Amino acid sequence: MKSYRKELWFNVPTRRAFINITPQVEDCLKESGVREGLVLVNAMHITASVFINDNESGLHHDYETWLEKLAPHEPVSQYHHNRTGEDNGDAHLKRQVMGREVVVAITDGQLDFGTWERIFYGEFDGRRKKRVLVKIVGE
Ligand code: ZN
């Protein structure tokens, strides 16, 4: 069995963003040489997500609006977590809703997606360097 590991680095210039990381994951898959197996992609930070959905800008706008309704960034004083001196209480909650990781089947050397599925990095507390882990196992 082959095993491959890589960290993807991000430094998003805004507090929040959604980034299509499908091309980077496909590059990892090529590099791994795995033809049949599984790929795990997970955020290595508790204020960022990796999720699968449609690469459609209206949907990403809707996520932003929905998440801000669920867990508004301001006032930052509404979160007990921010009593530690942080201001990212909302980002922890947004990450919980959008998830930590995805697993995608690898078939014949390709990501075995549904028609509109793409992999996204969701940043909820950006403006600093953060990592995503890509782990591929198979043969
Ligand atoms: Zn925090």
Side-chain angles (χ1 to χ4, degrees), residues 47 81 86 88 92:
T47 54
H81 177 67
E86 292 190 86
N88 65 3
H92 290 274

Side-chain angles (χ1 to χ4, degrees), residues 107-119:
T107 304
D108 201 19
Q110 306 284 320
L111 297 173
D112 203 341
F113 282 138
T115 308
W116 297 105
E117 288 187 322
R118 298 294 179 269
I119 305 170

Side-chain angles (χ1 to χ4, degrees), residues 24-44:
Q24 287 101 309
V25 176
E26 285 171 340
D27 288 346
C28 291
L29 180 53
K30 274 185 210 121
E31 215 172 277
S32 75
V34 170
R35 305 284 303 166
E36 296 292 327
L38 293 171
V39 55
L40 165 76
V41 187
N42 69 267
M44 297 180 86

Side-chain angles (χ1 to χ4, degrees), residues 46-47 81-82 84 86-89 91-92 125 128:
I46 53 181
T47 54
H81 177 67
N82 290 341
T84 60
E86 292 190 86
D87 69 350
N88 65 3
H92 290 274
D125 184 25
R128 57 198 169 99

Side-chain angles (χ1 to χ4, degrees), residues 4 6-8 10 19-22 24-26 28-29 38-44 48-52 95 98-106 111 113 118-122 131-137:
Y4 171 97
K6 190 165 193 174
E7 292 175 5
L8 306 176
F10 299 90
I19 299 169
N20 182 359
I21 61 169
T22 312
Q24 287 101 309
V25 176
E26 285 171 340
C28 291
L29 180 53
L38 293 171
V39 55
L40 165 76
V41 187
N42 69 267
M44 297 180 86
S49 289
V50 171
F51 64 95
I52 290 181
R95 183 273 168 97
M98 297 303 283
R100 171 183 182 263
E101 77 277 304
V102 300
V103 176
V104 180
I106 301 160
L111 297 173
F113 282 138
R118 298 294 179 269
I119 305 170
F120 294 89
Y121 175 67
R131 291 175 293 163
V132 165
L133 177 67
V134 180
K135 182 85 182 189
I136 301 173
V137 290

